[in-house]
């Protein structure tokens, strides 16, 4: 008669003694595009509504958003776009979505504040 196999340890039993992995982002936090909310340099808290956005929506938000911020270097440096510079920003952004592979590329996100203001955040990657 065949002998019974010994019981194999489960995955939970094998990993029970392992310490949790601590991920370090260095001195900076993940970019605003990768978070659900962030606080800008003026102290305004923004919560992500949606994104990445379609180019038609980006064009509309460039004209109507209360604030536009470009996050250079994947969000490590934030800079505001003045209302008079938004048309030029559209010319730079419209043909550079993140999926084309050209440099720099932009990933657009829409954020909203508690007082119903709208922010267009453009994450720039080189």
């Amino acid at each position: 008669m065949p002998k019974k196999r010994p019981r194999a340890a489960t995955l939970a039993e094998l990993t029970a003694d392992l310490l949790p992995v601590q991920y370090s982002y260095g001195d900076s936090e993940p970019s605003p595009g990768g978070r659900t909310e962030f606080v800008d340099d003026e102290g305004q808290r923004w919560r992500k509504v949606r994104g990445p956005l379609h180019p038609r929506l980006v064009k509309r938000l460039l004209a109507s958003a209360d604030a536009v911020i470009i996050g250079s270097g994947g969000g490590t440096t934030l800079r505001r776009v003045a209302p008079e510079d938004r048309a030029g920003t559209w010319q730079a952004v419209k043909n550079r979505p993140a999926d084309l592979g050209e440099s720099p590329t932009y990933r657009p996100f829409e954020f909203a504040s508690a007082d119903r203001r709208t922010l267009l955040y453009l994450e720039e990657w080189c």
Side-chain angles (χ1 to χ4, degrees), residues 2-119:
K3 293 185 178 181
K4 233 180 176 182
R5 283 191 206 174
R7 181 180 156 292
T10 65
L11 180 61
E13 292 171 341
L14 291 172
T15 59
D17 294 334
L18 296 176
L19 297 174
V21 176
Q22 297 292 328
Y23 292 101
S24 173
Y25 293 105
D27 295 332
S28 64
E29 296 180 9
S31 76
R35 291 186 266 169
T36 57
E37 65 179 31
F38 78 102
V39 177
D40 66 10
D41 56 348
E42 295 178 353
Q44 177 68 51
R45 181 176 299 275
W46 299 98
R47 179 173 290 280
K48 188 190 302 182
V49 176
R50 57 187 163 174
L53 304 173
H54 190 274
R56 285 184 296 200
L57 184 55
V58 173
K59 184 176 182 180
R60 189 177 326 134
L61 284 172
L62 271 169
S64 65
D66 296 303
V68 177
I69 294 178
I70 295 178
S72 302
T76 56
T77 305
L78 303 179
R79 67 181 158 85
R80 290 192 175 269
V81 177
E84 60 271 8
D85 296 333
R86 291 184 184 185
T89 301
W90 171 245
Q91 294 303 317
V93 169
K94 71 178 180 179
N95 294 322
R96 301 281 187 177
D99 54 352
L100 288 182
E102 297 177 13
S103 183
T105 61
Y106 297 91
R107 291 184 62 211
F109 298 90
E110 181 182 359
F111 286 79
S113 66
D115 58 353
R116 297 189 179 168
R117 294 178 48 209
T118 305
L119 165 75

